[in-house]
Amino acid sequence: AGLLVGSLGLWLGLTSACVYVSRRRGTGSLRRDFSLSFRWRDLGFGLAGSVVARMLAIAAVAPIPLPLPTRRIGEPEREVFEGAVDTGLALAVLVLVTCIGAPLFEELFFRGLLQGRLETRLGVALGIALTSLLFGAAHLIAWQGPVTLVYAWAVAASGAVLGLMRHVSGQLGAPMAAHAFFNAQVMVIVVLLT
């Protein structure tokens, strides 16, 4: 319940900012102002993009030294996921929030509003880079020490792929699908480890 209520509050804020900007400086249509559209082929591009985003996220954090785990190599940290999906309803809410809501509202705000404005003012490369860093910074939640910074850096790296997809496709469908598939990869791990 807390995750759902907190997410709804966040999404309301992100969407309100987009609506405000659209009405004040655009046409008043999120679809036109932020290229909010989806085509069925975006699913295929999204799946491919999610794999590339995952590989880039791994590559971005690979050189960062982290303390060695006290457990055997290859043994998952199951305690991280304990209680995450203790009921079917909890799993449904988690999937709804991470695989549907977050991709829709975060992409609308970050790739639709922010990246669009930053690309116009700073150029494509800097616009995508800065949007990706802000996207990673937005994921600095549930502080658990320096590893939280590593997580945010990985998210920023994956955000660069989403930003590139937005720029190349000219719309939000493909990066939304990639974001959904990227988060779904984690949901599969959570289900398998619980």
Side-chain angles (χ1 to χ4, degrees):
L3 174 65
L4 186 58
V5 170
S7 297
L8 289 173
L10 172 65
W11 298 339
L12 179 63
L14 296 177
T15 306
S16 296
C18 294
V19 168
Y20 177 80
V21 169
S22 179
R23 289 186 179 167
R24 296 279 294 179
R25 303 208 179 244
T27 66
S29 166
L30 295 178
R31 183 179 179 84
R32 282 193 302 268
D33 293 335
F34 304 117
S35 302
L36 180 59
S37 62
F38 183 82
R39 299 169 297 197
W40 285 107
R41 68 181 180 185
D42 291 335
L43 289 175
F45 291 129
L47 182 59
S50 72
V51 172
V52 172
R54 181 69 59 195
M55 291 187 314
L56 186 58
I58 291 168
V61 299
I64 299 172
L66 292 172
L68 291 175
T70 55
R71 65 191 191 292
R72 291 190 340 251
I73 299 296
E75 182 182 325
E77 289 187 70
R78 294 184 190 279
E79 64 273 4
V80 170
F81 301 104
E82 283 179 11
V85 288
D86 48 3
T87 68
L89 180 59
L91 178 61
V93 167
L94 194 58
V95 168
L96 175 72
V97 167
T98 60
C99 297
I100 298 170
L104 174 65
F105 297 106
E106 290 178 9
E107 291 307 309
L108 177 63
F109 180 79
F110 285 100
R111 254 56 70 183
L113 175 63
L114 283 183
Q115 182 174 319
R117 297 305 183 261
L118 290 173
E119 280 186 10
T120 301
R121 293 178 187 263
L122 305 173
V124 174
L126 198 51
I128 291 173
L130 191 52
T131 301
S132 300
L133 289 173
L134 291 169
F135 182 63
H139 289 79
L140 283 169
I141 53 176
W143 182 260
Q144 298 190 9
V147 72
T148 308
L149 293 172
V150 174
Y151 168 73
W153 180 243
V155 171
S158 66
V161 173
L162 300 175
L164 186 60
M165 291 178 76
R166 161 65 168 92
H167 177 74
V168 170
S169 71
Q171 56 189 338
L172 291 176
M176 283 181 176
H179 193 155
F181 285 124
F182 186 90
N183 289 355
Q185 295 165 5
V186 175
M187 288 299 97
V188 169
I189 293 169
V190 168
V191 169
L192 292 176
L193 292 180
T194 55

